[in-house]
Amino acid sequence: MLEFTPDQQMIREEAQRFLREQSSSEAIRLIVDTGASHDAGLWASISRELGWCAMAVPEEFGGLGLGATEVAILMELTGARLACVPFWSTVCLAAPLLQSAGSEPAKAKYLGAIAAGEMAVTVAYADLSVADPAATVAVKALRTDGGYRLDGKVAQVIDLEAADIVLVPAALEDGATALFALARDAGQSVAPLEVLDRTRPVAALELAMEVSAESRIDEGCVSAGQFREALAFANLGLAAEQLGAAQGAHEVTLAYIAERVQFGRTIASFQAIKHRCAKLVVEIAEARSLIFGAAQGLGISDAAESALEIAGARVLASDLQFRAAEEAIQLHGGVGFTWEYDPHLYFKRAQANAALLGAREAQLDRIAASVFGDGGVK
Amino acid sequence: MSDLNAFRTEVRDWMASHLSGTFAELKYRGGSGEGDVLPELRKEWERELAAGRWTCPGWPQEHGGRGLSVAEQVAFQEEYSRAGGPGRIGHIGEGLMGPTLIAFGTEEQKKRFLPGIRSGTEFWAQGYSEPSAGSDFGNIKTRARLDPVTGDWVVSGQKVWTSLAHLSDWIFVVARCEEGSVGRNGLIFLLMPLAQPGVEIHPIKQIGGGAEFNSVFFDGARAKADDVLGQPGDGWKIAMALLGFERGISTLGQQMSFQQELDLIVEISKENGSDRSPAIRQRVAYAWTGLRAMRYLAMRVLSDDQSPETRREALTYKYQWSNWHRDLGRLAMDVLKMDANVVSDDPRRERLQQMFLFARADTIYGGTNEIQLNIIAEQGLGMPREPRGKL
């Protein structure tokens, strides 16, 4: 059967309480309106004091050695509050890649720093919009006497400004993929992009630089399987965030319609509106079940089966997040499309997330290829 | 875990050796839209199950069950369906009447009724809905009057959508026993034999041609004084408790048969080329996703998790499975293309056609979509209740 352990339940309750206080609408707007890369105070609390980044890092590297379920719980809750912190990029995108493809010294150094809450890390995948972003590589790595020369441009890197380290997959001359870790002042160019979703910053990365041999951190090149393993975790975390953001948008909406009076009654009393809210609960239930079912099985069940469940979770979560956000706007009526009220923040995050790591069609194609057993239609 | 696997093996072996010979004909039958097929053989199958102690396995041992845990009951349901176990004619007695008798019946009532249910020799029907008491179940008009001479209750009125009444021996009837009472008050829960003067059963032919439902007319029919469950006036309480016993353990078995339907759709689409349509592929993948999500939702609901999320989301289960199944029916027909319209004796096609048609009932019986959404909004989200009209 499927339920949280008492420890997981406790993590959930405490995180929920903390984020309600610390990632309020006012706090988010401070970031959104000033154009800051992230909420540095909140990030310090989350990473250093609360130890959330240590959850899934193995104990040998200073982490708590917990699993995907704990991370999904925290992703759900940061999503619900649109917390402006590089949590997903560090914990779901970068840490699993370090874990699956990093050399032992690199793991000790970077995973240790992540677990200690001392480091935000992101990954410069060439194209984050496809289900397999490691299939193409935008950066070339040429061996030099002292190390490597890196050249290339990555159009969009999430949380790049906030990251202390960016991991860069780069193609070697023989076509294999190596992984480099660059500190923020290593000589790369970072150009922040003006984006619709200001709760999660994106920047372009340009590399034309020499790096030392020590910057290369993979254990004899990164295989497609290692990328896949890391990306499964990123996708699962993203799905959980989408679930949370949907729940957050829904709660904002329920609070508003319970107060708004028209025709002498709250608009929450109209059946047309009740049914729309109830349908969202149906979709939330569906997405939550698949996300936490997949989280519980990740690393235990067959990896291919887990990947399919995560693909399905992304489909449901992407549909759900957009639906919840558009319903938030519609049910707020006139104020729903103003800057002052929160629905637009959820709406923009929904669209931005839907395009990440494979849109629903790509996820469904993966599932179909397996269900039909034909590897997909060419 | 290994105990559970051993248990699964036991069920699988039993099914393999018993759902064979004359019973082989029953494989995968009696499901969606064909609840009334092969009734005599399916009654014999109930007795076969009983001989193997596989009827009522979730009942406590003192009442003849095996006292299985929830996980074991789920495993049983899954293995039963996986093996192609037919739709259970004894389902209402085993899943609804039995647990209600155990909770509310007198010792004498338990002694009289439970063995017949467990042995597959007495079958039950459910007398709830009436022509003007569907979603509005409190609007029951069937009357029960006390005969002062015998102490019997004399019943007049009409019940409708009564599954398998024509194959059943007994019916439980919720009736109005207090003149002038309305809504939840003044109701009584009666246990009545169907073979008696004053009871007439008329089949209702369904959308797919079968007739699993009936209208049951009562005109001076009798329930013995000893056959009242609880006290007169307790009818609503007992009727609601009975619905609560259907905790969804059978739903994982139901999902196994959904999976078989989806497998059939994939198989046929590969044969007729529908699998090359990107749109069909996406719909199949979406159906796969929905079914997997339902599986985990059922596992959450069955886990006794009391978190507010799970309690609220448990209310969505009926809406989810019924709408998923209805959509699957349409997908099945779209995969079959022109063949969907042609009746043939290909059992795969027949099964999908019946499913397509009968799935339209899924979003109506047991609480319509619209009632489900009201329940989710009101009980799950605490939104204002629907006002009652005055008609």
Side-chain angles (χ1 to χ4, degrees), chain B residues 116-151:
Chain B
I117 296 173
R118 209 206 58 72
S119 62
T121 51
E122 284 184 353
F123 298 99
W124 285 80
Q126 179 176 16
Y128 271 31
S129 292
E130 297 182 5
S132 58
S135 295
D136 185 6
F137 178 52
N139 197 33
I140 283 174
K141 292 193 161 53
T142 294
R143 295 171 43 174
R145 293 288 166 269
L146 187 62
D147 176 350
V149 180
T150 58

Side-chain angles (χ1 to χ4, degrees), chain A residues 81-163:
Chain A
R81 304 301 320 157
L82 299 179
C84 300
V85 286
F87 186 68
W88 177 70
S89 47
T90 300
V91 170
C92 297
L93 201 57
L97 185 56
L98 287 164
Q99 175 72 28
S100 75
S103 65
E104 287 307 307
K107 284 188 202 176
K109 181 175 174 187
Y110 296 113
L111 285 177
I114 288 172
E118 291 161 359
M119 200 177 265
V121 187
T122 189
V123 184
Y125 280 116
D127 183 0
L128 270 181
S129 74
V130 295
D132 183 7
T136 53
V137 180
V139 176
K140 286 195 170 116
L142 283 178
R143 271 177 230 272
T144 61
D145 290 344
Y148 294 87
R149 176 170 176 85
L150 302 181
D151 282 289
K153 290 181 189 175
V154 180
Q156 296 197 26
V157 183
I158 286 182
D159 289 331
L160 181 58
E161 289 173 87

Side-chain angles (χ1 to χ4, degrees), chain A:
Chain A
M1 302 299 111
L2 183 59
E3 63 190 314
F4 291 146
T5 64
D7 281 352
Q8 289 166 343
Q9 194 61 41
M10 198 175 71
I11 289 170
R12 191 171 198 282
E13 282 161 19
E14 287 180 2
Q16 195 162 33
R17 196 164 41 240
F18 172 81
L19 285 165
R20 280 203 173 127
E21 287 165 14
Q22 301 298 318
S23 187
S24 62
S25 176
E26 293 73 24
I28 297 166
R29 277 161 186 285
L30 214 57
I31 304 304
V32 165
D33 292 339
T34 59
S37 69
H38 66 296
D39 184 335
L42 181 62
W43 176 239
S45 302
I46 282 176
S47 56
R48 291 207 196 108
E49 291 157 30
L50 300 174
W52 290 2
C53 297
M55 289 285 172
V57 173
E59 286 171 289
E60 55 178 314
F61 303 119
L64 296 172
L66 300 172
T69 299
E70 286 80 4
V71 172
I73 286 171
L74 294 174
M75 280 310 308
E76 181 201 343
L77 297 173
T78 52
R81 304 301 320 157
L82 299 179
C84 300
V85 286
F87 186 68
W88 177 70
S89 47
T90 300
V91 170
C92 297
L93 201 57
L97 185 56
L98 287 164
Q99 175 72 28
S100 75
S103 65
E104 287 307 307
K107 284 188 202 176
K109 181 175 174 187
Y110 296 113
L111 285 177
I114 288 172
E118 291 161 359
M119 200 177 265
V121 187
T122 189
V123 184
Y125 280 116
D127 183 0
L128 270 181
S129 74
V130 295
D132 183 7
T136 53
V137 180
V139 176
K140 286 195 170 116
L142 283 178
R143 271 177 230 272
T144 61
D145 290 344
Y148 294 87
R149 176 170 176 85
L150 302 181
D151 282 289
K153 290 181 189 175
V154 180
Q156 296 197 26
V157 183
I158 286 182
D159 289 331
L160 181 58
E161 289 173 87
D164 301 293
I165 297 288
V166 55
L167 304 180
V168 181
L172 299 169
E173 285 142 283
D174 63 2
T177 305
L179 190 64
F180 292 86
L182 307 180
R184 69 166 71 234
D185 52 1
Q188 66 272 42
S189 135
V190 172
L193 301 172
E194 189 176 347
V195 287
L196 292 181
D197 170 24
R198 295 196 191 179
T199 61
R200 174 173 278 158
V202 183
L205 176 69
E206 190 166 352
L207 305 170
M209 58 198 283
E210 308 272 336
V211 297
S212 68
E214 291 74 50
S215 304
R216 186 174 165 191
I217 60 159
D218 55 277
E219 185 78 54
C221 297
V222 189
S223 69
Q226 287 170 318
F227 277 122
R228 250 199 316 275
E229 193 185 321
L231 285 161
F233 203 90
N235 250 319
L236 179 66
L238 187 59
E241 176 191 302
Q242 292 180 294
L243 164 69
Q247 182 81 48
H250 195 214
E251 279 166 17
V252 165
T253 307
L254 289 170
Y256 179 80
I257 63 178
E259 299 287 324
R260 172 74 176 166
V261 172
Q262 290 283 274
F263 305 102
R265 50 199 273 207
T266 64
I267 65 172
S269 69
F270 290 104
Q271 198 177 40
I273 289 180
K274 285 164 64 179
H275 281 191
R276 293 169 72 153
C277 293
K279 277 189 186 160
L280 264 179
V281 178
V282 175
E283 290 187 37
I284 288 170
E286 217 179 346
R288 188 193 307 284
S289 301
L290 188 49
I291 288 165
F292 285 100
Q296 202 180 57
L298 188 63
I300 298 166
S301 310
D302 171 57
E305 188 76 2
S306 282
L308 291 187
E309 290 187 348
I310 291 170
R314 279 300 314 285
V315 172
L316 296 182
S318 291
D319 287 354
L320 164 68
Q321 191 187 9
F322 196 87
R323 179 74 57 86
E326 71 180 348
E327 289 290 64
I329 293 180
Q330 184 68 24
L331 297 182
H332 272 73
V335 301
F337 55 87
T338 63
W339 193 271
E340 182 187 348
Y341 283 74
D342 285 351
H344 75 101
L345 300 173
Y346 287 101
F347 187 67
K348 290 165 183 169
R349 176 68 78 88
Q351 185 56 44
N353 278 353
L356 271 181
L357 296 180
R360 76 191 299 284
E361 291 73 20
Q363 307 284 4
L364 287 172
D365 280 345
R366 291 172 78 172
I367 296 168
S370 164
V371 171
F372 286 95
D374 56 11
V377 169
K378 297 294 179 287

